[in-house]
Amino acid sequence: MPLVSELLRREVRGDRPSESEIWTNCATCGSQVHLSEAFVDRGDPFETTYHCPHGCGPILVVSLPGPILWEEGGWRAGDWVVRNASDLYWQPIGKDRLLLLRARIHAID
């Protein structure tokens, strides 16, 4: 049940991302949400779910991959899958570089 920032640390060498540097938009209310502002549920041993702080519901899930990976289901990061229904951005503090993980249509289905 890792956090998105923990997965990025493993995949991207050099920078150490924090949850406050990573953001997405809630597909329901449209508000920009930094992952540090989201309610994070780590109660399930097989997934971490980020919820909109405005009570709209899940905005992002980190989970183990299912037996079949489907094209629009998420991004593989080692043993985990990042399932983002809206584009996910990471801009390291003090850097011009911006990392973008495009939204996956069926990420939270």
Side-chain angles (χ1 to χ4, degrees):
M1 303 119 353
L3 297 171
V4 172
S5 60
E6 294 167 348
L7 292 176
L8 287 175
R9 278 185 205 126
R10 294 178 201 161
E11 299 297 321
V12 179
R13 305 272 187 309
D15 291 312
R16 302 203 42 93
S18 72
E19 296 282 291
S20 62
E21 298 173 328
I22 306 166
W23 70 93
T24 189
N25 293 307
C26 174
T28 302
C29 72
S31 64
Q32 181 177 315
V33 179
H34 283 84
L35 298 189
S36 60
E37 302 166 335
F39 168 70
V40 180
D41 180 359
R42 295 176 93 175
D44 185 313
F46 302 109
E47 66 182 35
T48 301
T49 305
Y50 291 79
H51 295 268
C52 176
H54 305 291
C56 300
I59 56 173
L60 173 73
V61 176
V62 175
S63 67
L64 291 172
I68 299 173
L69 283 178
W70 63 101
E71 182 179 337
E72 289 297 323
W75 298 95
R76 188 71 184 252
D79 294 333
W80 300 92
V81 175
V82 177
R83 298 168 31 213
N84 53 306
S86 295
D87 289 344
L88 184 67
Y89 303 93
W90 169 43
Q91 184 163 23
I93 293 173
K95 305 248 176 149
D96 292 333
R97 185 182 69 207
L98 177 70
L99 176 108
L100 167 66
L101 291 178
R102 293 262 179 222
R104 295 301 199 193
I105 296 168
H106 300 293
I108 305 183
D109 289 350

